[in-house]
Amino acid sequence: MKHIAAIALSGMFILSCGPQDNINFVTDNIIPAPQSIVAGDGTFKVAGAGISVSEDMDAMSVAAIEKFAGRLGKVTGRKSRVCTGLKEHGISFCTDSTMGRESYRIDISARSARITAADFHGVLYAIQTIGQMLPVEYYGDTTVRDALWKLPCLTIEDAPRYHYRGMHLDVARHFFSADEVKRYLDLMAMHKMNTFHWHLTDDQGWRVEIRKYPRLTEYGSIRKQTIVGHHNDPMHKVNGNIYDNTPYGGYYTQDEIRDVVAYADSLGITVIPEIDMPGHMVAALAAYPEMGCTGGPYEVRCTWAIADEALCPGKEATFTFIEDVLTEIMELFPSEIIHIGGDECRKQFWENCPDCQRLIRKLGLRSDSRFTKEQYLQCYVTDRVQKFLAEHGRTLMGWDEIIEGDISKDAVVMYWRPGRSRMPANDGFRTVMVPAPYFYFDYYQSEHLDLEPLSIGGFIPIEKTYSYEPEEEVDPEHLDKILGVQANLWTEFISDRVNMYYNLLPRMDALSEIQWCEKGKRDFERFKKALVHQMQAYDIMDYPYSRAVFGEYGIPEKFKQEME
Ligand code: TNX
């Protein structure tokens, strides 16, 4: 009897998957491409399917599954109820702790969609994959009953190549509200990224409330005005700088920070805060000039490019400040890694500062053929901060300038300057790959500069980003030092959300495949096809993006109107 039922069912199944369904290709839409897909026959009806969850499922996963059920209900117009206790039919979620970190498996037959995940991240990523296989209306807020709410029968086995899959956002040069940052995090989650690098402070603005130092946000978050266009811009025929005469500011309260961190957590994203030091600190110096070599006065910087001023390590008060600030930062951010910048720290003030020179002598630092004594002084700062963070169970991260000199191998390094710095991984440092020529999403993405919004310069078409192979510059014995890959979005020339997403998308899609797909498994032609579906999703979600990969340039008209 059972046997007959099975035959009858498989008959229905053949009938239900006629060519008009065109469903067998939906796996081509998934970005980043899964490691393995084995196609089956037939389809599974998603609309109205019950969702069951194994009893041992953790609360965060259950919440994510409830959210998924809510979305399905909204877009299909048929409720999907979530119940505890695995069921044979319908959509079911269970965990298997023997599976690799962040991995998942999806088995779809005509009567069931079974998701087996290693952990919370696996659950999230399975949900994202399912979403990408459904009609693009899945991403909208309207009910579309007649869309093809079905999934093809198949088995997907998937796991990330790297465990550090990051995206950065600079909110110091231009500020983005906590709500906008959440929308940014939504995109990261969609791309199975798990690390948000939040660049919170710089010369042009301090953006995080620190209770012990209220002037950081009272004064340090506001610049008097902002340079228009480029500094002495030859391209735009500006001789000397023009300013907009408009004060600019913004910062996050500690409550807002906590809220963003909790939201990120629900998406499986760790937030790494960056407090950039000892350079890139002019905003803090404007608020507390006594921490500079000359004592100031300083003003929050209104131009871009690298400042000459830095914190003065020759004054012990500077270290008190650093430790106090990092203490509050550690309270706000549970991330094991804390980023302390360390990039582009000019040393001329240190060279002429009696306090710095006294400390250099006291420490016995000497210039040699490799580095100056002032570079070794920066290493002293880095090492001290590293020890402080380690005492609190945290790990220091910094830009690749931090290894100019000798520092502890406990630091994690962000490699951003190929050609100008040595590969940290080859020196035994755990390294995150962020090489500027591939991953600086503030650079132009087409050469049609007349049509593109003004950018910092450079040229990184999506094809270039996509071509990156993280292992290329690393010696075979150090490959395990590569933690992962990230892209940066610096915002000197990105002052609103339209420009932000336009620069980010769809290069972020290319980044996600580098982070996720196994070596040699990427296929640009497949990726480009998947982008068509992805762009439809962006349209529905109202994210601006560039179509340069399809030969169309510039910000789309409908978004131009939104910009000031
Ligand atoms: C370099 S990358 C910087 C940033 C700028 C960026 C502009 C790095 C560590 N420092 O301060 O915003 O270039 O592309």
Side-chain angles (χ1 to χ4, degrees):
M1 184 63 194
K2 244 187 183 168
H3 188 63
I4 296 169
I7 294 170
L9 267 171
S10 63
M12 277 160 57
F13 204 54
I14 292 163
L15 286 178
S16 73
C17 90
Q20 75 279 8
D21 284 3
N22 196 22
I23 205 168
N24 295 319
F25 303 106
V26 294
T27 50
D28 293 347
N29 295 336
I30 307 166
I31 295 177
Q35 308 299 358
S36 140
I37 303 172
V38 178
D41 289 321
T43 58
F44 171 77
K45 264 172 76 178
V46 171
I51 299 182
S52 64
V53 174
S54 64
E55 262 119 32
D56 59 352
M57 190 69 74
D58 64 288
M60 302 245 315
S61 298
V62 174
I65 293 164
E66 299 267 7
K67 195 168 155 190
F68 169 61
R71 169 138 297 278
L72 280 185
K74 179 181 257 174
V75 295
T76 65
R78 306 261 318 265
K79 256 203 152 53
S80 282
R81 262 174 258 284
V82 180
C83 68
T84 312
L86 274 190
K87 295 237 162 43
E88 288 256 327
H89 295 172
I91 303 171
S92 60
F93 286 86
C94 61
T95 47
D96 175 353
S97 56
T98 64
M99 290 168 68
R101 233 169 103 191
E102 300 189 282
S103 68
Y104 68 90
R105 180 186 163 104
I106 302 175
D107 291 293
I108 302 178
S109 69
R111 290 192 296 171
S112 68
R114 163 66 56 98
I115 290 105
T116 316
D119 47 27
F120 171 51
H121 286 86
V123 168
L124 293 175
Y125 303 149
I127 291 173
Q128 292 299 344
T129 295
I130 290 173
Q132 287 184 319
M133 289 191 286
L134 289 172
V136 76
E137 288 81 5
Y138 171 78
Y139 294 101
D141 284 325
T142 43
T143 303
V144 187
R145 282 174 204 277
D146 56 357
L148 195 65
W149 296 115
K150 289 180 180 180
L151 290 167
C153 297
L154 49 67
T155 297
I156 291 180
E157 287 182 283
D158 205 8
R161 178 179 182 188
Y162 291 111
H163 287 299
Y164 185 112
R165 301 184 302 283
M167 191 63 228
H168 152 290
L169 179 65
D170 167 14
V171 294
R173 275 55 177 270
H174 284 103
F175 180 71
F176 294 91
S177 70
D179 281 343
E180 202 56 70
V181 171
K182 288 183 184 174
R183 298 252 300 149
Y184 195 88
L185 292 167
D186 288 340
L187 276 176
M188 288 183 57
M190 187 181 178
H191 292 83
K192 303 186 173 100
M193 296 186 186
N194 61 6
T195 310
F196 175 50
H197 171 176
W198 207 359
H199 184 81
L200 287 165
T201 65
D202 215 302
D203 299 322
Q204 296 81 5
W206 184 282
R207 308 273 176 237
V208 50
E209 177 191 8
I210 300 294
R211 287 190 312 268
K212 202 160 183 184
Y213 296 88
R215 290 215 304 273
L216 286 173
T217 41
E218 264 166 43
Y219 293 85
S221 73
I222 301 163
R223 60 177 176 260
K224 217 166 56 189
Q225 54 186 354
T226 304
I227 185 172
V228 177
H230 280 265
H231 187 78
N232 278 335
D233 189 346
M235 190 170 80
H236 295 84
K237 313 258 182 313
V238 176
N239 205 0
N241 297 336
I242 298 178
Y243 293 88
D244 67 359
N245 256 315
T246 313
Y248 183 91
Y251 69 90
Y252 309 103
T253 63
Q254 294 206 345
D255 281 344
E256 283 178 308
I257 296 271
R258 270 187 281 268
D259 182 45
V260 170
V261 169
Y263 185 75
D265 201 33
S266 77
L267 301 176
I269 297 171
T270 300
V271 184
I272 296 184
E274 181 186 351
I275 305 295
D276 203 344
M277 64 181 82
H280 288 274
M281 265 284 176
V282 177
L285 287 172
Y288 296 95
E290 61 273 22
M291 294 180 311
C293 292
T294 62
Y298 305 94
E299 71 171 24
V300 182
R301 217 165 144 77
C302 304
T303 57
W304 316 125
I306 308 172
D308 291 335
E309 300 84 356
L311 289 180
C312 175
K315 299 183 176 71
E316 194 50 31
T318 297
F319 289 96
T320 310
F321 169 81
I322 293 172
E323 292 183 4
D324 287 345
V325 167
L326 290 178
T327 298
E328 290 193 33
I329 290 294
M330 286 188 286
E331 280 165 26
L332 291 170
F333 296 92
S335 163
E336 189 212 314
I337 293 179
I338 304 287
H339 202 308
I340 63 125
D343 57 314
E344 300 175 328
C345 176
R346 293 226 167 115
K347 311 283 193 305
Q348 51 266 57
F349 277 97
W350 294 2
E351 284 161 15
N352 298 309
C353 167
D355 295 328
C356 288
Q357 292 304 319
R358 196 172 309 122
L359 181 58
I360 282 172
R361 281 194 300 279
K362 189 173 144 204
L363 297 170
L365 304 178
R366 284 202 181 81
S367 299
D368 56 28
S369 58
R370 295 162 66 229
F371 302 107
T372 65
K373 57 190 191 317
E374 284 76 19
Q375 282 176 306
Y376 286 113
L377 183 59
Q378 182 173 346
C379 292
Y380 167 77
V381 176
T382 308
D383 263 338
R384 245 182 101 160
V385 177
Q386 189 264 321
K387 286 195 190 88
F388 175 75
L389 290 173
E391 279 162 22
H392 295 82
R394 308 299 179 104
T395 299
L396 177 143
M397 179 183 260
W399 300 107
D400 57 35
E401 286 92 334
I402 65 169
I403 62 167
E404 289 170 353
D406 301 311
I407 62 153
S408 154
K409 292 281 190 294
D410 293 334
V412 179
V413 184
M414 273 194 164
Y415 176 66
W416 73 280
R417 301 176 307 166
R420 279 167 59 208
S421 69
R422 56 196 209 271
M423 165 55 67
N426 290 341
D427 275 355
F429 287 98
R430 287 172 294 164
T431 303
V432 174
M433 303 299 197
V434 199
Y438 298 86
F439 298 116
Y440 271 39
F441 289 174
D442 52 336
Y443 292 11
Y444 283 109
Q445 46 198 329
S446 91
E447 281 176 308
H448 296 260
L449 301 198
D450 50 331
L451 299 173
E452 296 295 347
L454 181 68
S455 117
I456 195 159
F459 174 45
I460 306 183
I462 191 167
E463 293 84 349
K464 172 127 195 229
T465 300
Y466 199 80
S467 72
Y468 185 68
E469 169 42 52
E471 293 187 359
E472 230 149 59
E473 292 173 86
V474 181
D475 300 336
E477 68 270 31
H478 291 301
L479 290 179
D480 64 334
K481 294 289 182 299
I482 306 175
L483 297 189
V485 187
Q486 175 178 291
N488 293 343
L489 196 57
W490 300 103
T491 59
E492 288 95 331
F493 292 85
I494 297 174
S495 58
D496 54 49
R497 79 156 202 121
V498 172
N499 272 289
M500 173 166 82
Y501 295 119
Y502 180 81
N503 276 276
L504 184 69
L505 303 173
R507 286 185 288 197
M508 184 186 199
D509 291 274
L511 168 69
S512 77
E513 293 222 335
I514 294 159
Q515 296 168 329
W516 191 274
C517 303
E518 284 307 326
K519 188 176 183 182
K521 287 278 175 67
R522 273 179 274 137
D523 171 351
F524 190 72
E525 286 315 309
R526 180 235 182 242
F527 172 72
K528 209 169 147 180
K529 280 193 208 123
L531 277 181
V532 174
H533 177 266
Q534 190 76 345
M535 287 177 175
Q536 288 167 356
Y538 295 149
D539 286 333
I540 287 184
M541 292 185 286
D542 198 36
Y543 286 111
Y545 58 89
S546 163
R547 294 183 58 85
V549 67
F550 297 119
E552 293 165 40
Y553 309 103
I555 292 177
E557 271 321 308
K558 80 165 190 174
F559 289 113
K560 275 191 186 154
Q561 289 158 16
E562 190 188 314
M563 293 156 60
E564 310 98 326

